[in-house]
Structure formats: C-alpha cells, structure tokens
Amino acid sequence: MKLYQTYLSPFPTRVRVLLYAKNIDVEIIEPEGFHGSQKSKSSYEEVNPIGRIPALVLDDGRVLPESEVICEYLEDAFPEPSLRPTDPWALAQVRLLSRISDFYVVMAMVPLFNESGKRRADWNRERIDAAVVEVFKSLEYLEEYIGEDGYAVGTSLTQADGVLLPILMLASKWAPALFGTDNPFDRLPKLAAYYTAVQLDPIAKRVMDETLEAIGASQGRRK
Ligand SMILES: N[C@@H](CCC(=O)N[C@@H](CS)C(=O)NCC(=O)O)C(=O)O
C-alpha cells in the first residue's frame, strides 16, 4: 500500500498512528504542491480528485481519501491491535474528541494556517488575534472531555490520540512560536497533563517527533 501524506499536515498523523500500531507496511509518498510550495498539485489530483492529503492507495490500485475513513478501513481490514474501544461509551468519547478537534479546533485554526502562508509583513494581526481567541475557546471543549489516565480515552492508545496530538502540537508549539501568542496549555491543565503523559507511549512519541521535525523544517523554510 501507499500513503500520500505530509508530516506537517495533522490529518495523516491519525493514519500513521494506526499504521505504526498495527505494524502495516506502507510506502509513504509526500506529494508536491503542499504547504506553500509553488508547485502545482495537479498530478496528485489524478490520485485523489479531492486534492487533499492523506490518501491511501491499496495494492490493487484502489484509492481511499479522507483520514477518518482511512482509519476505519484500516481498523476493519487489520483488526489487531484495535485502536477503537469496544466499550460503547469509550468509543463515543473517541468519536467526540475527534469531532471536536475536526469541527471546532481545526476550523478555528484555519485563519492561522492562512496567515502563515503569507509573508510576515502581510499578516493581519487582528485576524490572528481573533483566531487565537477561537482556538482557545475550542480547546476548552477538549479540556472538558480529555482523559486523565495518560491517554485521550482510557488507558491505552486510541484513534483519538492520533487526532489530537498534531493539533495540540500546532496549537501549543507552532502557533505561539510563529505568531508570538500565548501557550494555551498555561490555562488548560488537563490538556497540558495529557500532552506530557501521552509522550510515554512510543507510537505517540514517534508521531510527535515527526510533526515537530516537520514544523521545524517549515519554519526553517520561512527564514
Ligand atoms: N477531511 C480531510 C481533510 C484533509 C485536509 O484538509 N488536508 C489538507 C492538509 S492539512 C489538504 O490537503 N489541503 C489541501 C491543500 O493544502 O491544498 C481529511 O480528514 O482527510
């Protein structure tokens, strides 16, 4: 199988968490035309007409876009170990955290992603500050529901950790470093504790290191 993705994008991370946990061998391909590159994405659109990463290509050539759909496919096709709790309430918590992240936190961060693609001189400070207020508000929703036993839900790695880790890293490391904004963890103790504790898990640590390296590389490119 092949996974089209980048290490900077938060969406493929949840897929890599499953691939690593299930020890599935895939070829990782970083398509051109993402994250401020001047290159056209058109050749990637032949792979995934939606034009977004990630996309999983099966050995027989069938292509699956959309990170959440890919994760559900991987859980069904490669059931062991499962990162999908069997307890209905725990599974609902995984889905709730994922939904809050995708629908509220990521959406609140979109203006920051947009500003980051511009030259610093062209940044709209009002837009940045307004976005940060919304990001903090949406993170408070996660603060409400985040697990307190070392993982997002329960006592082991689930799909929710793969969703949250890159987003929390972008909110707590990338945005403050780039825009000089406050670290949200200063006022969100449960999320801060989770973020520290989950790094004891080797797969969580691996994807966090990958994301951190990609953030560093993207900031290096800005200089
Ligand atoms: N709902 C999609 C969202 C994927 C997405 O928006 N990926 C971004 C990268 S963070 C992307 O490919 N954007 C298109 C672009 O940058 O041109 C998923 O979960 O896979």
Side-chain angles (χ1 to χ4, degrees):
M1 290 194 294
K2 294 178 193 159
L3 180 70
Y4 285 84
Q5 66 120 45
T6 71
Y7 289 97
L8 191 59
S9 167
F11 295 101
T13 308
R14 64 187 73 172
V15 177
R16 292 202 313 283
V17 163
L18 288 194
L19 294 172
Y20 299 157
K22 293 172 185 291
N23 214 4
I24 303 169
D25 200 22
V26 293
E27 181 189 351
I28 301 257
I29 301 174
E30 297 193 58
E32 290 185 333
F34 280 85
H35 309 313
S37 153
Q38 299 304 309
K39 298 208 171 101
S40 157
K41 289 192 303 181
S42 58
S43 61
Y44 176 62
E45 281 163 6
E46 286 166 22
V47 177
N48 175 9
I50 300 175
R52 290 177 182 267
I53 47 170
L56 183 73
V57 183
L58 306 193
D59 289 338
D60 64 9
R62 286 178 292 173
V63 181
L64 201 54
E66 291 295 319
S67 59
E68 195 178 315
V69 178
I70 297 171
C71 288
E72 293 303 323
Y73 169 76
L74 291 174
E75 290 282 23
D76 293 333
F78 304 88
E80 294 298 330
S82 175
L83 275 72
R84 197 167 49 187
T86 47
D87 173 73
W89 183 255
L91 182 55
Q93 299 309 299
V94 169
R95 291 176 173 151
L96 178 62
L97 288 168
S98 304
R99 187 162 279 247
I100 291 172
S101 180
D102 284 357
F103 281 60
Y104 304 122
V105 189
V106 173
M107 293 319 288
M109 290 189 77
V110 165
L112 298 182
F113 298 145
N114 291 342
E115 292 301 312
S116 77
K118 299 180 187 169
R119 292 183 315 152
R120 195 173 282 256
D122 295 332
W123 283 353
N124 181 325
R125 196 68 227 181
E126 264 178 41
R127 201 172 292 155
I128 291 169
D129 292 342
V132 168
V133 170
E134 292 305 312
V135 170
F136 278 36
K137 200 196 291 179
S138 65
L139 290 172
E140 279 169 16
Y141 308 153
L142 291 179
E143 176 82 358
E144 193 69 35
Y145 296 105
I146 192 72
E148 294 179 85
D149 292 314
Y151 289 93
V153 177
T155 55
S156 61
L157 200 66
T158 65
Q159 289 186 22
D161 297 295
V163 173
L164 295 185
L165 289 174
I167 283 302
L168 293 180
M169 183 171 283
L170 289 170
S172 68
K173 296 256 181 298
W174 170 79
L178 187 60
F179 298 115
T181 51
D182 292 345
N183 186 335
F185 288 165
D186 293 345
R187 51 180 107 154
L188 299 168
K190 282 170 64 187
L191 274 184
Y194 158 72
Y195 188 80
T196 303
V198 76
Q199 298 188 43
L200 294 174
D201 183 290
I203 291 172
K205 177 83 171 60
R206 179 173 171 184
V207 295
M208 289 169 89
D209 286 347
E210 289 170 347
T211 306
L212 203 54
E213 197 180 320
I215 291 174
S218 81
Q219 287 174 344
R221 278 197 300 273
R222 295 186 60 84
K223 287 179 185 149

PDB file of all heavy atoms in Angstrom, residues 51-72:
ATOM      1  N   GLY A  51      -8.081  16.211  -3.852  1.00  0.00           N
ATOM      2  CA  GLY A  51      -6.885  17.057  -3.800  1.00  0.00           C
ATOM      3  C   GLY A  51      -6.312  17.253  -2.412  1.00  0.00           C
ATOM      4  O   GLY A  51      -5.428  18.080  -2.216  1.00  0.00           O
ATOM      5  N   ARG A  52      -6.825  16.519  -1.433  1.00  0.00           N
ATOM      6  CA  ARG A  52      -6.338  16.693  -0.059  1.00  0.00           C
ATOM      7  C   ARG A  52      -5.576  15.467   0.399  1.00  0.00           C
ATOM      8  O   ARG A  52      -5.815  14.370  -0.104  1.00  0.00           O
ATOM      9  CB  ARG A  52      -7.528  16.947   0.890  1.00  0.00           C
ATOM     10  CG  ARG A  52      -8.144  18.298   0.645  1.00  0.00           C
ATOM     11  CD  ARG A  52      -9.359  18.546   1.519  1.00  0.00           C
ATOM     12  NE  ARG A  52      -9.922  19.834   1.194  1.00  0.00           N
ATOM     13  CZ  ARG A  52      -9.615  20.975   1.820  1.00  0.00           C
ATOM     14  NH1 ARG A  52      -8.776  20.963   2.843  1.00  0.00           N
ATOM     15  NH2 ARG A  52     -10.150  22.112   1.456  1.00  0.00           N
ATOM     16  N   ILE A  53      -4.680  15.705   1.342  1.00  0.00           N
ATOM     17  CA  ILE A  53      -3.968  14.577   1.945  1.00  0.00           C
ATOM     18  C   ILE A  53      -4.590  14.284   3.307  1.00  0.00           C
ATOM     19  O   ILE A  53      -5.072  15.224   3.970  1.00  0.00           O
ATOM     20  CB  ILE A  53      -2.455  14.873   2.091  1.00  0.00           C
ATOM     21  CG1 ILE A  53      -2.252  16.274   2.701  1.00  0.00           C
ATOM     22  CG2 ILE A  53      -1.744  14.723   0.781  1.00  0.00           C
ATOM     23  CD1 ILE A  53      -0.824  16.545   3.098  1.00  0.00           C
ATOM     24  N   PRO A  54      -4.627  13.005   3.714  1.00  0.00           N
ATOM     25  CA  PRO A  54      -3.989  11.840   3.116  1.00  0.00           C
ATOM     26  C   PRO A  54      -4.882  11.144   2.093  1.00  0.00           C
ATOM     27  O   PRO A  54      -6.083  11.419   2.004  1.00  0.00           O
ATOM     28  CB  PRO A  54      -3.804  10.908   4.327  1.00  0.00           C
ATOM     29  CG  PRO A  54      -5.019  11.186   5.177  1.00  0.00           C
ATOM     30  CD  PRO A  54      -5.281  12.662   5.018  1.00  0.00           C
ATOM     31  N   ALA A  55      -4.233  10.212   1.350  1.00  0.00           N
ATOM     32  CA  ALA A  55      -4.963   9.240   0.531  1.00  0.00           C
ATOM     33  C   ALA A  55      -4.204   7.920   0.626  1.00  0.00           C
ATOM     34  O   ALA A  55      -2.973   7.906   0.573  1.00  0.00           O
ATOM     35  CB  ALA A  55      -5.053   9.706  -0.912  1.00  0.00           C
ATOM     36  N   LEU A  56      -4.950   6.852   0.788  1.00  0.00           N
ATOM     37  CA  LEU A  56      -4.346   5.521   0.886  1.00  0.00           C
ATOM     38  C   LEU A  56      -4.596   4.795  -0.431  1.00  0.00           C
ATOM     39  O   LEU A  56      -5.741   4.760  -0.915  1.00  0.00           O
ATOM     40  CB  LEU A  56      -5.004   4.740   2.034  1.00  0.00           C
ATOM     41  CG  LEU A  56      -4.427   3.352   2.320  1.00  0.00           C
ATOM     42  CD1 LEU A  56      -3.056   3.468   3.000  1.00  0.00           C
ATOM     43  CD2 LEU A  56      -5.379   2.546   3.222  1.00  0.00           C
ATOM     44  N   VAL A  57      -3.534   4.258  -1.006  1.00  0.00           N
ATOM     45  CA  VAL A  57      -3.679   3.502  -2.250  1.00  0.00           C
ATOM     46  C   VAL A  57      -3.427   2.025  -1.934  1.00  0.00           C
ATOM     47  O   VAL A  57      -2.358   1.666  -1.420  1.00  0.00           O
ATOM     48  CB  VAL A  57      -2.683   3.994  -3.321  1.00  0.00           C
ATOM     49  CG1 VAL A  57      -2.911   3.243  -4.631  1.00  0.00           C
ATOM     50  CG2 VAL A  57      -2.832   5.496  -3.539  1.00  0.00           C
ATOM     51  N   LEU A  58      -4.418   1.201  -2.199  1.00  0.00           N
ATOM     52  CA  LEU A  58      -4.279  -0.228  -1.931  1.00  0.00           C
ATOM     53  C   LEU A  58      -3.395  -0.875  -2.993  1.00  0.00           C
ATOM     54  O   LEU A  58      -3.147  -0.289  -4.055  1.00  0.00           O
ATOM     55  CB  LEU A  58      -5.654  -0.910  -1.925  1.00  0.00           C
ATOM     56  CG  LEU A  58      -6.730  -0.326  -1.002  1.00  0.00           C
ATOM     57  CD1 LEU A  58      -7.900  -1.309  -0.882  1.00  0.00           C
ATOM     58  CD2 LEU A  58      -6.189   0.026   0.366  1.00  0.00           C
ATOM     59  N   ASP A  59      -2.952  -2.094  -2.717  1.00  0.00           N
ATOM     60  CA  ASP A  59      -2.039  -2.772  -3.650  1.00  0.00           C
ATOM     61  C   ASP A  59      -2.689  -2.999  -5.015  1.00  0.00           C
ATOM     62  O   ASP A  59      -1.998  -3.071  -6.028  1.00  0.00           O
ATOM     63  CB  ASP A  59      -1.574  -4.112  -3.058  1.00  0.00           C
ATOM     64  CG  ASP A  59      -0.625  -3.879  -1.884  1.00  0.00           C
ATOM     65  OD1 ASP A  59      -0.031  -2.780  -1.812  1.00  0.00           O
ATOM     66  OD2 ASP A  59      -0.492  -4.773  -1.036  1.00  0.00           O
ATOM     67  N   ASP A  60      -4.011  -3.088  -5.056  1.00  0.00           N
ATOM     68  CA  ASP A  60      -4.677  -3.290  -6.352  1.00  0.00           C
ATOM     69  C   ASP A  60      -5.030  -1.963  -7.035  1.00  0.00           C
ATOM     70  O   ASP A  60      -5.709  -1.945  -8.055  1.00  0.00           O
ATOM     71  CB  ASP A  60      -5.936  -4.152  -6.190  1.00  0.00           C
ATOM     72  CG  ASP A  60      -6.995  -3.466  -5.317  1.00  0.00           C
ATOM     73  OD1 ASP A  60      -6.830  -2.271  -4.984  1.00  0.00           O
ATOM     74  OD2 ASP A  60      -7.996  -4.120  -4.967  1.00  0.00           O
ATOM     75  N   GLY A  61      -4.583  -0.830  -6.441  1.00  0.00           N
ATOM     76  CA  GLY A  61      -4.752   0.464  -7.095  1.00  0.00           C
ATOM     77  C   GLY A  61      -5.965   1.259  -6.625  1.00  0.00           C
ATOM     78  O   GLY A  61      -6.095   2.437  -6.957  1.00  0.00           O
ATOM     79  N   ARG A  62      -6.839   0.639  -5.840  1.00  0.00           N
ATOM     80  CA  ARG A  62      -7.990   1.422  -5.351  1.00  0.00           C
ATOM     81  C   ARG A  62      -7.502   2.494  -4.372  1.00  0.00           C
ATOM     82  O   ARG A  62      -6.567   2.244  -3.598  1.00  0.00           O
ATOM     83  CB  ARG A  62      -9.002   0.506  -4.652  1.00  0.00           C
ATOM     84  CG  ARG A  62      -9.811  -0.348  -5.616  1.00  0.00           C
ATOM     85  CD  ARG A  62     -10.750  -1.264  -4.877  1.00  0.00           C
ATOM     86  NE  ARG A  62     -10.031  -2.282  -4.135  1.00  0.00           N
ATOM     87  CZ  ARG A  62     -10.594  -3.149  -3.286  1.00  0.00           C
ATOM     88  NH1 ARG A  62     -11.898  -3.117  -3.078  1.00  0.00           N
ATOM     89  NH2 ARG A  62      -9.856  -4.040  -2.650  1.00  0.00           N
ATOM     90  N   VAL A  63      -8.161   3.662  -4.426  1.00  0.00           N
ATOM     91  CA  VAL A  63      -7.698   4.814  -3.637  1.00  0.00           C
ATOM     92  C   VAL A  63      -8.767   5.234  -2.637  1.00  0.00           C
ATOM     93  O   VAL A  63      -9.941   5.378  -3.012  1.00  0.00           O
ATOM     94  CB  VAL A  63      -7.380   6.016  -4.557  1.00  0.00           C
ATOM     95  CG1 VAL A  63      -6.866   7.196  -3.721  1.00  0.00           C
ATOM     96  CG2 VAL A  63      -6.359   5.635  -5.619  1.00  0.00           C
ATOM     97  N   LEU A  64      -8.342   5.439  -1.396  1.00  0.00           N
ATOM     98  CA  LEU A  64      -9.263   5.882  -0.355  1.00  0.00           C
ATOM     99  C   LEU A  64      -8.790   7.231   0.181  1.00  0.00           C
ATOM    100  O   LEU A  64      -7.696   7.320   0.749  1.00  0.00           O
ATOM    101  CB  LEU A  64      -9.263   4.842   0.774  1.00  0.00           C
ATOM    102  CG  LEU A  64     -10.448   4.791   1.730  1.00  0.00           C
ATOM    103  CD1 LEU A  64     -11.775   4.663   0.999  1.00  0.00           C
ATOM    104  CD2 LEU A  64     -10.252   3.657   2.715  1.00  0.00           C
ATOM    105  N   PRO A  65      -9.602   8.292   0.003  1.00  0.00           N
ATOM    106  CA  PRO A  65      -9.258   9.580   0.611  1.00  0.00           C
ATOM    107  C   PRO A  65      -9.904   9.710   2.000  1.00  0.00           C
ATOM    108  O   PRO A  65     -10.602   8.801   2.443  1.00  0.00           O
ATOM    109  CB  PRO A  65      -9.881  10.586  -0.355  1.00  0.00           C
ATOM    110  CG  PRO A  65     -11.080   9.882  -0.894  1.00  0.00           C
ATOM    111  CD  PRO A  65     -10.806   8.394  -0.842  1.00  0.00           C
ATOM    112  N   GLU A  66      -9.668  10.813   2.671  1.00  0.00           N
ATOM    113  CA  GLU A  66     -10.302  11.189   3.945  1.00  0.00           C
ATOM    114  C   GLU A  66      -9.758  10.365   5.116  1.00  0.00           C
ATOM    115  O   GLU A  66      -9.999   9.159   5.231  1.00  0.00           O
ATOM    116  CB  GLU A  66     -11.834  11.097   3.883  1.00  0.00           C
ATOM    117  CG  GLU A  66     -12.466  12.146   2.993  1.00  0.00           C
ATOM    118  CD  GLU A  66     -12.254  13.575   3.521  1.00  0.00           C
ATOM    119  OE1 GLU A  66     -12.350  13.785   4.737  1.00  0.00           O
ATOM    120  OE2 GLU A  66     -11.959  14.466   2.715  1.00  0.00           O
ATOM    121  N   SER A  67      -9.067  11.086   6.006  1.00  0.00           N
ATOM    122  CA  SER A  67      -8.332  10.415   7.094  1.00  0.00           C
ATOM    123  C   SER A  67      -9.209   9.518   7.958  1.00  0.00           C
ATOM    124  O   SER A  67      -8.827   8.400   8.299  1.00  0.00           O
ATOM    125  CB  SER A  67      -7.633  11.467   7.960  1.00  0.00           C
ATOM    126  OG  SER A  67      -8.564  12.372   8.507  1.00  0.00           O
ATOM    127  N   GLU A  68     -10.398  10.003   8.312  1.00  0.00           N
ATOM    128  CA  GLU A  68     -11.227   9.207   9.224  1.00  0.00           C
ATOM    129  C   GLU A  68     -11.705   7.925   8.536  1.00  0.00           C
ATOM    130  O   GLU A  68     -11.755   6.855   9.151  1.00  0.00           O
ATOM    131  CB  GLU A  68     -12.420  10.044   9.683  1.00  0.00           C
ATOM    132  CG  GLU A  68     -13.118   9.457  10.870  1.00  0.00           C
ATOM    133  CD  GLU A  68     -14.267  10.341  11.341  1.00  0.00           C
ATOM    134  OE1 GLU A  68     -14.084  11.567  11.432  1.00  0.00           O
ATOM    135  OE2 GLU A  68     -15.340   9.787  11.601  1.00  0.00           O
ATOM    136  N   VAL A  69     -12.023   8.049   7.260  1.00  0.00           N
ATOM    137  CA  VAL A  69     -12.478   6.879   6.500  1.00  0.00           C
ATOM    138  C   VAL A  69     -11.327   5.879   6.352  1.00  0.00           C
ATOM    139  O   VAL A  69     -11.520   4.658   6.478  1.00  0.00           O
ATOM    140  CB  VAL A  69     -13.017   7.331   5.121  1.00  0.00           C
ATOM    141  CG1 VAL A  69     -13.440   6.134   4.295  1.00  0.00           C
ATOM    142  CG2 VAL A  69     -14.177   8.295   5.303  1.00  0.00           C
ATOM    143  N   ILE A  70     -10.131   6.394   6.115  1.00  0.00           N
ATOM    144  CA  ILE A  70      -8.957   5.517   6.007  1.00  0.00           C
ATOM    145  C   ILE A  70      -8.751   4.772   7.332  1.00  0.00           C
ATOM    146  O   ILE A  70      -8.513   3.559   7.341  1.00  0.00           O
ATOM    147  CB  ILE A  70      -7.688   6.331   5.645  1.00  0.00           C
ATOM    148  CG1 ILE A  70      -7.842   6.980   4.272  1.00  0.00           C
ATOM    149  CG2 ILE A  70      -6.451   5.438   5.678  1.00  0.00           C
ATOM    150  CD1 ILE A  70      -6.734   7.983   3.930  1.00  0.00           C
ATOM    151  N   CYS A  71      -8.867   5.506   8.445  1.00  0.00           N
ATOM    152  CA  CYS A  71      -8.673   4.860   9.760  1.00  0.00           C
ATOM    153  C   CYS A  71      -9.703   3.751   9.966  1.00  0.00           C
ATOM    154  O   CYS A  71      -9.355   2.657  10.433  1.00  0.00           O
ATOM    155  CB  CYS A  71      -8.781   5.885  10.890  1.00  0.00           C
ATOM    156  SG  CYS A  71      -7.357   6.985  10.971  1.00  0.00           S
ATOM    157  N   GLU A  72     -10.942   4.018   9.646  1.00  0.00           N
ATOM    158  CA  GLU A  72     -11.979   2.989   9.836  1.00  0.00           C
ATOM    159  C   GLU A  72     -11.696   1.794   8.936  1.00  0.00           C
ATOM    160  O   GLU A  72     -11.876   0.643   9.347  1.00  0.00           O
ATOM    161  CB  GLU A  72     -13.374   3.572   9.554  1.00  0.00           C
ATOM    162  CG  GLU A  72     -13.821   4.620  10.562  1.00  0.00           C
ATOM    163  CD  GLU A  72     -13.817   4.108  12.013  1.00  0.00           C
ATOM    164  OE1 GLU A  72     -14.158   2.934  12.246  1.00  0.00           O
ATOM    165  OE2 GLU A  72     -13.440   4.886  12.907  1.00  0.00           O
TER     166      GLU A  72
END
